[in-house]
Amino acid sequence: MKRREFTAAAVAATIGTLPATRALAQAAGAAMPAVIPPVSADSLRKLLGAQRGKVVVLNLWATWCAPCLREIPDLVRLEQELAPRGVVLIGVSMDEPDDGERVAAFHAKYFPAFNTRLRSERELDAIASVVDPAWNEVLPTTYILAPDGRVVRRVQGTKTHDEFRALIEAALEPATTR
Amino acid sequence: MSKVPAFLLALFTGTLSVAVSAAPIAVSTTGQLALAPDVAVGPKGEIAILWLAKGNPDTPEAKAAAAERAKSGHSHRSSMNLYVAVSKDGGASFSAPVRVNREDDEVWGFAVSRPRVAWGRTGTLHVAYPANEMQAKLGKSVLTARYTRSTDGGATFEAPRRLSTVTDSDLSSVIHGGFASVAAFGTMGVAPNGNVHVLWIDTRDMKGGSDNGSVYGVVSRDDGVTFGPEERLAAGDVCPCCQINVAFDAKSRPLLASRQVTAGNLRSSSVGRADSAGHFTTRVSTGGTPWHLDGCPLKPTAMAVQGTHIYTAAHNGADTPPGVMLSASNDGGKTFATPYAAHPGAQVSDAPAFAAIGQRVLVAWHAKTDGPRRVFYRTLDADGSALGAPVELATGEGSTQTPALAARPDGRAQIAWQQGDLIYTTALEVK
């Protein structure tokens, strides 16, 4: 019973944060994309390569993955908190590649400040293999990449703001002490 | 590193207990993405291959449908059609694909919520699948369990029937991306006595608080002409996105393989035998490390039953490295042996399937070793111990995945799999 109450509260809390996230994005002048930019394995590789020197949080999610949706507001908030220290959040929606309009509508409605792409590869595995050839198709999966591009953590399942923050801080440490 | 052909690998390792006995045949239509095959072999050796096919998203009709779906925003609709091809010559040739569903793009499914096919004792071909519907009162999308059958060997199918009840439950803000309710990730089987069992995972008991599903099901005692009342068979503790499987003992009592969620969000594969009321009130873990995950595993538990032996296979993310773990019970499901890895050394393995053939069991899965995902298999002894090393399915280059298996009356196994955009099948010798 306790768990049920907790879960309900977590869902309610998540849903409660959505308008706030949207308002934050609108206040910040964030663009509301009509389409989600597609990303292939090659373009993801280039995108990640262009972030060298920063800590990248790569989040694999899907509109149908309820646990994914719970953690996205926290990840967006963390990026806003840690961007000055060189943290970049990149999402990749694992929804169907030809479902762009629906995913874009969903994104604009719930997570407009979430910097995400939509996979253009038919195979889920093709995208994840850019950073993790052993990905087991669990969602959400979040990778934390060090400034040199290495994956330093693979996180599966929903994590809280504080749990993510601790993992990202750990990845930031070598960069700040170098 | 170049690939070593499977037969050469087997010669070197001396472990060849299974061999491809014929050239693979593509059964799906070129130019159309086909996925999630299932296979069934009938009492006379008839073979049915079932698969999902994605329509062309660039047609005006498909674009209009996509635009309509986009209006609902938060939605997980997939738009698939369901096809079957049948062989009546032992797999030497297959019919042209026959569409099973009536309404365009009504089928919801993917590799881990695959539609199911089974032959009845007298040659009826049964098909069960999840379908998109609208709940009129709520004006929201729902997923329902559908059934249809063919009484002419797969040439034509009856109008599909909904088996699950659509309730007023609205969990669209919580589950599966906007569906008000879901009946999916199901299974179907024909018991030795001919009864047709269709089971699915249902969200109606979530009530906005729990993330876990219940198992509901129906039984037909007249070869699919009618079905009895829908019943809740396992309550509120099933991983909602981990496809279930049903098999039967010699007395036609169903056994259910599912991923059970226990306190602390621990997910473990389990097997339960139906009680006298047909309910799975008691289930036994198949062993291994419980998997703690607040996420979507999307991991079915495969099962085969042979006498008092029960064989299970499922991906466990709690093991290192994550992969398919095999387990067996030799006491009718009271206890299970310590699981072992189906594919030691693989980077990752998943999507297991079984066929029990005499005193042997064939298990297939897909795995990544040093290249793209490929289908592998190995033979197990009656007690569940491995008889040989994993063997890669001898077929063309590129990605091969999501195998399905069925035992043939000639002692071989029929395997179907996705290779690129096509569904292939062949027979495997099991020695």
Side-chain angles (χ1 to χ4, degrees), chain B residues 9-47:
Chain B
L9 185 67
L11 284 176
F12 288 132
T13 57
T15 57
L16 184 62
S17 56
V18 184
V20 173
S21 62
I25 295 174
V27 293
S28 62
T29 304
T30 302
Q32 192 177 50
L33 173 62
L35 64 154
D38 196 17
V39 58
V41 178
K44 295 179 182 172
E46 321 91 305
I47 302 166

Side-chain angles (χ1 to χ4, degrees), chain A residues 36-39 43-44 47 51 61 89-94 103 114-119:
Chain A
I36 301 282
V39 67
S43 59
L44 179 60
L47 181 64
Q51 306 300 325
W61 68 287
L89 171 64
I90 298 172
V92 177
S93 163
M94 302 304 251
V103 177
F114 182 30
N115 172 25
T116 189
R117 270 78 172 162
L118 171 64
R119 71 175 164 113

Side-chain angles (χ1 to χ4, degrees), chain A residues 21-37 76 80 103-116:
Chain A
T21 305
R22 185 163 62 247
L24 194 63
Q26 287 168 337
M32 299 277 203
V35 294
I36 301 282
V76 171
Q80 291 163 348
V103 177
F106 178 84
H107 174 263
K109 184 174 180 183
Y110 292 109
F111 307 117
F114 182 30
N115 172 25
T116 189

Side-chain angles (χ1 to χ4, degrees), chain A residues 1 7 23 33 69 90 106 110 113 129 177:
Chain A
M1 189 62 191
T7 309
L69 309 183
I90 298 172
F106 178 84
Y110 292 109
S129 288
T177 55

Side-chain angles (χ1 to χ4, degrees), chain B residues 54-101:
Chain B
K54 199 172 182 64
N56 179 354
D58 297 325
T59 65
E61 294 80 11
K63 285 183 175 176
E68 189 61 32
R69 289 198 302 275
K71 289 178 185 171
S72 63
H74 188 182
S75 165
H76 185 202
R77 291 190 61 135
S78 77
S79 302
M80 299 281 192
N81 293 304
L82 198 53
Y83 290 88
V84 70
V86 172
S87 172
K88 294 176 179 171
D89 57 10
S93 64
F94 281 82
S95 68
V98 172
R99 202 173 99 170
V100 175
N101 54 300

Side-chain angles (χ1 to χ4, degrees), chain B residues 54-401:
Chain B
K54 199 172 182 64
N56 179 354
D58 297 325
T59 65
E61 294 80 11
K63 285 183 175 176
E68 189 61 32
R69 289 198 302 275
K71 289 178 185 171
S72 63
H74 188 182
S75 165
H76 185 202
R77 291 190 61 135
S78 77
S79 302
M80 299 281 192
N81 293 304
L82 198 53
Y83 290 88
V84 70
V86 172
S87 172
K88 294 176 179 171
D89 57 10
S93 64
F94 281 82
S95 68
V98 172
R99 202 173 99 170
V100 175
N101 54 300
R102 292 270 174 101
E103 187 186 332
D104 287 345
D105 299 342
E106 72 169 335
V107 184
W108 184 90
F110 48 110
V112 292
S113 181
R114 69 172 82 189
R116 310 312 292 255
V117 63
W119 290 96
R121 288 194 304 179
T122 57
T124 300
L125 189 57
H126 306 277
V127 174
Y129 62 95
N132 295 298
E133 283 194 53
M134 287 298 290
Q135 211 278 22
K137 189 173 169 186
L138 297 170
K140 293 187 176 175
S141 298
V142 295
L143 285 180
T144 60
R146 294 254 179 109
Y147 165 85
T148 184
R149 65 178 196 148
S150 170
T151 55
D152 57 9
T156 61
F157 284 83
E158 295 176 352
R161 284 171 268 165
R162 185 204 298 146
L163 300 179
S164 55
T165 300
V166 178
T167 68
D168 288 342
S169 161
D170 183 3
L171 295 171
S172 55
S173 63
V174 181
I175 54 162
H176 294 299
F179 287 119
S181 61
V182 170
F185 297 96
T187 182
M188 179 178 61
V190 178
N193 65 5
N195 288 352
V196 183
H197 295 249
V198 183
L199 300 87
W200 61 89
I201 300 177
D202 204 300
T203 59
R204 75 184 73 172
D205 300 321
M206 285 186 179
K207 302 197 186 307
S210 165
D211 283 348
N212 303 322
S214 296
V215 174
Y216 280 70
V218 292
V219 181
S220 171
R221 293 176 169 80
D222 55 10
D223 203 30
V225 177
T226 61
F227 281 86
E230 175 189 52
E231 290 199 55
R232 187 173 65 181
L233 305 176
D237 63 354
V238 176
C239 172
C241 57
C242 296
Q243 189 159 24
I244 54 177
N245 274 289
V246 69
F248 304 91
D249 66 16
K251 294 179 179 174
S252 294
R253 288 174 66 190
L255 291 97
L256 173 72
S258 64
R259 195 174 291 272
Q260 196 171 3
V261 186
T262 53
N265 219 4
L266 298 174
R267 297 166 195 263
S268 303
S269 289
S270 71
V271 170
R273 189 185 303 266
D275 60 22
S276 57
H279 299 167
F280 303 98
T281 47
T282 304
R283 279 159 284 160
V284 176
S285 168
T286 63
T289 311
W291 187 6
H292 177 263
L293 181 72
D294 183 12
C296 297
L298 301 166
K299 300 288 179 264
T301 299
M303 174 174 59
V305 176
Q306 192 80 300
T308 59
H309 304 289
I310 301 168
Y311 312 93
T312 65
H315 177 101
N316 187 356
D319 287 305
T320 305
V324 173
M325 302 298 289
L326 304 175
S327 186
S329 168
N330 296 308
D331 57 11
K334 294 186 183 75
T335 60
F336 280 82
T338 302
Y340 63 96
H343 198 147
Q347 292 173 311
V348 67
S349 56
D350 201 353
F354 277 117
I357 302 160
Q359 294 301 305
R360 295 283 187 268
V361 179
L362 188 64
V363 56
W365 64 90
H366 65 224
K368 292 178 74 175
T369 52
D370 62 347
R373 182 183 283 172
R374 299 286 289 181
V375 171
F376 292 82
Y377 50 79
R378 68 193 304 184
T379 307
L380 312 182
D381 207 347
D383 67 358
S385 55
L387 289 174
V391 175
E392 185 178 328
L393 181 69
T395 184
E397 295 292 315
S399 168
T400 60
Q401 57 188 319

